[in-house]
Amino acid sequence: DTGVSQNPRHKITKRGQNVTFRCDPISEHNRLYWYRQTLGQGPEFLTYFQNEAQLEKSRLLSDRFSAERPKGSFSTLEIQRTEQGDSAMYLCASSPDIGWNNEQFFGPGTRLTVL
Amino acid sequence: AQKITQTQPGMFVQEKEAVTLDCTYDTSDQSYGLFWYKQPSSGEMIFLIYQGSYDEQNATEGRYSLNFQKARKSANLVISASQLGDSAMYFCAMREGNAGGSYIPTFGRGTSLIVHP
């Protein structure tokens, strides 16, 4: 399967713990996006990479959130000192670097529950 | 102001009938793209159809078509011959092509579609 993969699929953690999620995009896609989705809402943009460069971050991305894409391939999203409000589905998407209007290919998401 | 508005939180349709899911958008850009995604209960977002702002024809992909009314800023999704497997959340999204833009799409809040036999 050459689609976008995310690990883990589910994560339950206690408040105050750190968590890290991984996203493996489609191999030839240069653009990678992270979104957060809460119940009853559409995906909300968190951050965007073109190759290894993090080009944009949402105001939603507080100091406790950090994302990397060190070699322009897979990406990690870390949340430090988790809070109950961080409970959500975290979605990763990738798209090719051809123009601006290509659709994004989404992974299955990581569902985070903070107790 | 909301960039993407989906006013129908939930829709019901009988199997084999057609259904229209509404989407209105707000932009001052001349260049933009409109997307529809399906999200089943498994969580994965599945791309359905795309309409560019300069496309003169309404986009179609199999049973999906997009009723694009530029002057009204609406991009409604029409699903023909509904199937039970169409039951899912449907999201409308827009990507604005403004110069120097980040190409980050904005999503609506979604419409839940239930197809019943």
Side-chain angles (χ1 to χ4, degrees):
Chain A
D1 184 28
T2 56
V4 179
S5 62
Q6 291 187 247
N7 288 289
R9 294 292 308 276
H10 303 273
K11 179 71 177 178
I12 301 174
T13 191
K14 292 183 179 179
R15 190 176 54 186
Q17 298 293 306
N18 298 344
V19 295
T20 300
F21 309 141
R22 176 177 169 130
C23 171
D24 287 88
I26 294 172
S27 59
E28 61 268 26
H29 286 182
N30 293 336
R31 296 177 181 167
L32 187 148
Y33 308 78
W34 283 100
Y35 293 88
R36 182 173 68 187
Q37 186 180 22
T38 52
L39 201 61
Q41 302 290 328
E44 296 174 295
F45 168 73
L46 291 178
T47 190
Y48 155 63
F49 290 86
Q50 181 144 336
N51 299 311
E52 66 275 8
Q54 188 174 19
L55 296 187
E56 189 156 339
K57 293 192 291 186
S58 162
R59 287 172 294 177
L60 292 174
L61 213 66
S62 76
D63 292 344
R64 297 183 298 104
F65 288 69
S66 63
E68 293 183 341
R69 194 182 182 196
K71 297 182 181 178
S73 56
F74 73 92
S75 174
T76 58
L77 177 69
E78 181 183 16
I79 309 174
Q80 296 182 327
R81 305 181 304 281
T82 52
E83 302 172 356
Q84 288 183 326
D86 297 331
S87 295
M89 174 78 89
Y90 290 83
L91 294 167
C92 175
S94 69
S95 68
D97 186 14
I98 305 171
W100 57 271
N101 57 355
N102 291 289
E103 72 270 22
Q104 296 174 315
F105 294 82
F106 282 81
T110 294
R111 184 169 295 284
L112 173 66
T113 302
V114 182
L115 302 176
Chain B
Q2 291 282 336
K3 289 209 170 190
I4 295 287
T5 303
Q6 295 182 254
T7 57
Q8 307 153 313
M11 290 285 286
F12 293 86
V13 66
Q14 185 109 28
E15 193 178 8
K16 299 180 185 176
E17 294 194 346
V19 63
T20 298
L21 306 183
D22 295 342
C23 173
T24 57
Y25 59 92
D26 183 25
T27 181
S28 56
D29 283 359
Q30 296 301 309
S31 298
Y32 52 89
L34 297 155
F35 304 80
W36 276 93
Y37 287 86
K38 171 185 178 181
Q39 188 177 41
S41 56
S42 59
E44 187 167 347
M45 299 277 284
I46 302 166
F47 166 74
L48 295 178
I49 196 167
Y50 165 79
Q51 179 86 41
S53 59
Y54 293 116
D55 295 341
E56 295 185 354
Q57 304 268 0
N58 285 343
T60 60
E61 289 286 348
R63 294 186 299 111
Y64 304 109
S65 60
L66 202 150
N67 183 0
F68 181 46
Q69 298 188 38
K70 196 169 181 177
R72 294 186 176 183
K73 293 188 176 179
S74 76
N76 299 338
L77 176 71
V78 180
I79 305 175
S80 62
S82 297
Q83 301 172 357
L84 296 178
D86 293 335
S87 295
M89 285 292 293
Y90 288 81
F91 292 95
C92 179
M94 176 177 64
R95 176 180 277 162
E96 294 169 290
N98 51 311
S102 57
Y103 318 137
I104 306 300
T106 304
F107 287 80
R109 295 183 66 169
T111 295
S112 173
L113 176 66
I114 296 176
V115 180
H116 55 89

